Amino acid sequence: MREVDSFDSRQLKSLIDEMCNLNSSFSDKESLLLQIVKSAMALLLCESGSFFLVDKITKKLCCACSVKQEFVSFGDGSHDSNAVADWVVKNKERLVFRNEASSKEFFSSVQIDDCAMYSNLVAMPFFCDGKCGGAIILYGKPGEKSFKKNDCNLLEFFLKKAGQVYSNAISYFDEKIMCTALLESKGESSADFCFVPDILEVIDEIAKTGAIVLVCGEKGTGKEIVARKIHEKSPRRAREFFMFNCSLGDVSMLDDLLAKADGSTLFFDCIENLSVPVQERLFEFIKSKTVRKRGTEDFFSADVRIIASAGKNLLKLVDEGKFISGLYYRLSVFPLNVPPLRERKAYICNLAEYFLKKSSVELGKKFRGFSEPAMNVLTNYYWPGNIRELKNAVERACIKSSSEYIQVDDFGRDFFRDDFSSDDIKTVAEEFFYEEKDKSLRNVVMKFKSFYVKKVLVESGWNQTAAGKLLGVQRTYVSRLLKDLDLR
């Protein structure tokens, strides 16, 4: 039995409506958090609710936003002690109070003036990227109908989808920060500036046409920014830029958005997450340019430009039978690759300096810059998390540092990823196989050796004796590796 089969018709209709609301684009994080709370309240017919998030730096729980009837308030980022939210996040479990007795039992060890206000509530952990990053609390009026198990299941189902939307949105907001940082570092004021200058000309040329574009790249590299830039430079720029959430959307949602996007651009973020029925409907639209009218069997023509992003190898998914081959070839009319941060090392210094200045203001510290070894660590690191990981690294170093210049030790060894899992290794192997022309074992081993030796040298401050000890070889052999692998 599927999870949704237990919901009644009112719940299902409300769920569809609220997922459509989440599927819209948001200009900032606060608007998205507010919509999540309001949607959760609408699903469970509540008049008030609160959203708590764990601060990524202090690791403390903060109230992100609260809604009480028509009044909305946002948290200031300070620690907000809430026993219910604290318990839910710590235990990663739901918590339900159906009467005053149950709330009094929970709060028996907590000094609280009015248990009655907590006598009818449901609190649910909020997961994002597989981690519990907060909690949402919905309040029912004391004495009114209490929350049932089915209500809790409905809220849990919705929050799973909301977590995916939130993760995608945070990636976009981080990429937006990257653009702003590079604009400021270069003294640019033009809104047309893009942080991927190598493809600026390509974007200009693509924008003039109505061709389908497939933007490829890792998570956090700026694929959505590129899609928006194409739209902003196109003849369709006067119309709204529409987004389809590939993890949540179904066929009816796709038809609705295609109708709304007539004359504009529709962006499919992470198109590899589309279900097969939605893939089939999109393929049908690309071929016929027609959209089904809601609630009927009638179709009408729609002029919609399709832009999609992919973070996985779609051709591999085609081979595995998970992606329709015809759709893949239609999308691949104009593939555009956005390189990861590690391949744009010229920007790392500018971005790091920008985040340093930003943290200086927020923390009230006067930093003058990075030490040379610290900057070498930043520019030589692999950055699997791209811009978000760089931002977090600099913020953490600023909190820890007590000098004018950020030092290598300020980053902390546990901050940079060194926990390669079997899935990571499998992904690297698959990338080599599908992207390298020379698939020989010798080529793969040499490339890995070059990367690993350089990593060890960076970690040891390019001290060949220290690097030799870590590698288990003589210093003279390290010198030979530097020459053979052409490491600088």
Side-chain angles (χ1 to χ4, degrees):
M1 180 178 177
R2 295 176 304 171
E3 205 169 354
V4 294
D5 290 337
S6 62
F7 305 145
D8 60 36
S9 56
R10 190 225 40 108
Q11 291 176 320
L12 286 172
K13 185 179 182 304
S14 182
L15 184 62
I16 291 172
D17 290 341
E18 298 310 325
M19 288 200 303
C20 284
N21 288 333
L22 280 189
N23 209 29
S24 304
S25 59
F26 294 89
S27 58
D28 54 72
K29 177 181 173 182
E30 286 73 21
S31 298
L32 178 56
L33 293 175
L34 177 60
Q35 184 59 57
I36 292 175
V37 175
K38 285 186 172 181
S39 292
M41 289 166 55
L43 285 172
L44 268 61
L45 304 176
C46 301
E47 291 187 346
S48 59
S50 298
F51 202 151
F52 293 83
L53 289 176
V54 177
D55 186 275
K56 63 179 181 298
I57 296 175
T58 65
K59 305 302 181 185
K60 292 183 178 180
L61 202 61
C62 305
C63 182
C65 67
S66 293
V67 180
K68 188 172 184 180
Q69 294 179 334
E70 296 301 319
F71 297 98
V72 177
S73 63
F74 291 97
D76 59 3
S78 58
H79 176 51
D80 190 338
S81 179
N82 183 290
V84 173
D86 285 335
W87 187 93
V88 169
V89 171
K90 181 180 179 181
N91 293 277
K92 300 180 179 62
E93 294 179 15
R94 66 176 66 169
L95 190 61
V96 183
F97 295 156
R98 296 189 171 90
N99 50 55
E100 191 169 342
S102 61
S103 66
K104 282 183 177 179
E105 181 181 353
F106 178 83
F107 289 115
S108 60
S109 60
V110 180
Q111 294 296 320
I112 190 165
D113 296 329
D114 186 11
C115 284
M117 67 176 290
Y118 294 100
S119 63
N120 188 14
L121 68 77
V122 55
M124 196 75 66
F126 181 72
F127 289 90
C128 181
D129 293 331
K131 298 179 181 179
C132 183
I136 190 166
I137 304 177
L138 301 181
Y139 303 90
K141 288 184 178 179
E144 288 193 351
K145 181 181 177 182
S146 60
F147 297 106
K148 305 299 182 184
K149 182 178 179 181
N150 191 252
D151 296 321
C152 298
N153 291 342
L154 178 66
L155 178 61
E156 184 177 44
F157 181 86
F158 169 75
L159 289 180
K160 285 180 184 177
K161 306 301 180 184
Q164 296 171 357
V165 174
Y166 182 76
S167 175
N168 293 336
I170 291 301
S171 292
Y172 166 65
F173 297 145
D174 286 343
E175 290 159 9
K176 200 172 181 181
I177 289 174
M178 179 193 260
C179 286
T180 304
L182 288 168
L183 273 170
E184 293 186 5
S185 68
K186 292 176 175 289
E188 296 277 355
S189 59
S190 169
D192 289 334
F193 178 82
C194 180
F195 65 92
V196 194
D198 293 344
I199 60 173
L200 268 176
E201 290 185 14
V202 180
I203 288 175
D204 287 338
E205 291 301 317
I206 296 174
K208 298 173 185 176
T209 73
I212 296 173
V213 181
L214 178 63
V215 187
C216 303
E218 297 176 6
K219 187 174 182 179
T221 52
K223 298 187 292 295
E224 184 175 334
I225 295 290
V226 172
R228 287 180 180 273
K229 287 298 176 186
I230 293 172
H231 174 73
E232 290 168 8
K233 290 174 177 286
S234 76
R236 302 166 186 261
R237 57 183 170 273
R239 294 291 311 279
E240 181 182 351
F241 177 84
F242 292 90
M243 290 182 62
F244 184 81
N245 190 305
C246 297
S247 299
L248 300 180
D250 58 20
V251 173
S252 62
M253 289 181 187
L254 176 57
D255 281 334
D256 287 346
L257 262 182
L258 285 169
K260 290 179 182 178
D262 188 15
S264 188
T265 303
L266 180 55
F267 176 58
F268 293 78
D269 191 21
C270 298
I271 198 163
E272 63 268 21
N273 294 330
L274 277 185
S275 65
V276 172
V278 180
Q279 288 181 40
E280 291 172 343
R281 179 68 191 96
L282 177 59
F283 185 33
E284 180 185 333
F285 169 77
I286 292 174
K287 290 187 294 182
S288 66
K289 299 294 183 183
T290 58
V291 182
R292 187 194 303 271
K293 289 184 179 179
R294 191 169 191 175
T296 72
E297 293 299 318
D298 299 329
F299 286 80
F300 66 93
S301 297
D303 175 25
V304 182
R305 185 192 194 150
I306 303 296
I307 302 179
S309 75
K312 294 183 179 179
N313 190 314
L314 293 184
L315 189 56
K316 178 176 178 290
L317 296 180
V318 170
D319 292 340
E320 294 174 351
K322 298 177 181 177
F323 203 86
I324 297 173
S325 60
L327 177 58
Y328 167 74
Y329 290 112
R330 293 279 183 150
L331 293 172
S332 301
V333 171
F334 209 115
L336 190 58
N337 185 60
V338 182
L341 185 58
R342 61 183 172 276
E343 294 179 12
R344 292 181 276 166
K345 292 192 175 182
Y347 298 131
I348 293 177
C349 294
N350 289 336
L351 285 167
E353 292 289 352
Y354 169 76
F355 292 132
L356 181 71
K357 291 175 183 176
K358 190 170 180 286
S359 294
S360 295
V361 174
E362 292 174 352
L363 299 173
K365 294 183 177 182
K366 294 183 179 180
F367 294 109
R368 298 184 65 182
F370 296 85
S371 68
E372 187 175 344
M375 187 55 77
N376 285 337
V377 167
L378 292 179
T379 55
N380 286 293
Y381 181 56
Y382 189 67
W383 298 114
N386 289 294
I387 180 62
R388 188 185 302 179
E389 190 175 10
L390 173 62
K391 178 174 176 282
N392 289 343
V394 174
E395 287 180 351
R396 175 71 64 88
C398 289
I399 292 172
K400 188 177 179 182
S401 180
S402 57
S403 64
E404 291 183 331
Y405 290 89
I406 299 295
Q407 306 296 324
V408 173
D409 290 343
D410 293 328
F411 294 120
R413 285 187 172 273
D414 61 331
F415 197 87
F416 297 110
R417 282 187 48 179
D418 57 3
D419 55 340
F420 246 11
S421 67
S422 58
D423 287 340
D424 292 323
I425 295 171
K426 181 181 178 182
T427 299
V428 171
E430 289 177 345
E431 286 180 356
F432 263 110
F433 182 80
Y434 283 98
E435 297 177 11
E436 287 289 322
K437 291 182 179 179
D438 182 357
K439 304 185 190 305
S440 67
L441 184 60
R442 180 179 182 279
N443 178 53
V444 174
V445 171
M446 285 296 290
K447 288 205 169 184
F448 178 81
K449 183 192 287 187
S450 178
F451 169 76
Y452 185 72
V453 172
K454 188 170 186 177
K455 172 69 175 175
V456 171
L457 283 163
V458 169
E459 288 292 322
S460 56
W462 291 86
N463 183 306
Q464 294 182 28
T465 301
K469 288 180 179 179
L470 288 173
L471 292 168
V473 299
Q474 297 294 323
R475 187 198 66 78
T476 52
Y477 187 66
V478 175
S479 298
R480 180 179 159 190
L481 285 172
L482 281 168
K483 182 179 179 181
D484 293 347
L485 299 173
D486 193 25
L487 296 176
R488 298 285 186 274

